[in-house]
Amino acid sequence: GGRRAFIDATGASVSLPPSIRRFVATDEVVGGLLSALGGDVVGCAGSLDGVAAVGEQRAPDLRAVAALKPDVIVTGAVERAHDLVDARLVAALRRVAPVIAVDTGRPAAAG
């Protein structure tokens, strides 16, 4: 059980823990996708039924995310970039847990 590498939608190599059980999503689209896949979404920026809110869509509150002790944080991606309101959030979130970007098919103009 060591860490394993995963290439996310930004092209970044993300070192994942051997066991991933707890997810935090940075928006409702990502949270819904993870839930549909059977993931244990413990927090979501925005509103997702039955899941703790951790800030506004694409603008998670770092303290709220950290308090949930996620194994992985999942963001959306647009044009190979994390889909967050502030690009500096990615580095801050990485101090909490590995951050994976998934392409949700959202157009760049989506808000």
Side-chain angles (χ1 to χ4, degrees):
R3 292 178 104 45
R4 59 192 187 274
F6 175 84
I7 305 299
D8 75 2
T10 67
S13 178
V14 181
S15 180
L16 298 176
S19 177
I20 300 172
R21 292 193 174 93
R22 299 171 56 83
F23 295 91
V24 166
T26 60
D27 68 62
E28 297 163 2
V29 172
V30 172
L33 173 66
L34 291 169
S35 291
L37 292 172
D40 184 9
V41 182
V42 296
C44 182
S47 177
L48 190 63
D49 287 342
V51 177
V54 294
E56 299 296 319
Q57 287 259 65
R58 298 177 17 251
D61 176 271
L62 294 172
R63 287 187 180 140
V65 171
L68 295 175
K69 299 182 178 165
D71 297 315
V72 172
I73 300 164
V74 184
T75 74
V78 173
E79 297 178 3
R80 296 181 58 90
H82 291 276
D83 185 20
L84 298 173
V85 297
D86 185 339
R88 295 174 294 185
L89 277 170
V90 176
L93 289 169
R94 284 182 176 143
R95 290 190 294 272
V96 175
V99 177
I100 298 172
V102 296
D103 187 343
T104 60
R106 183 176 20 234

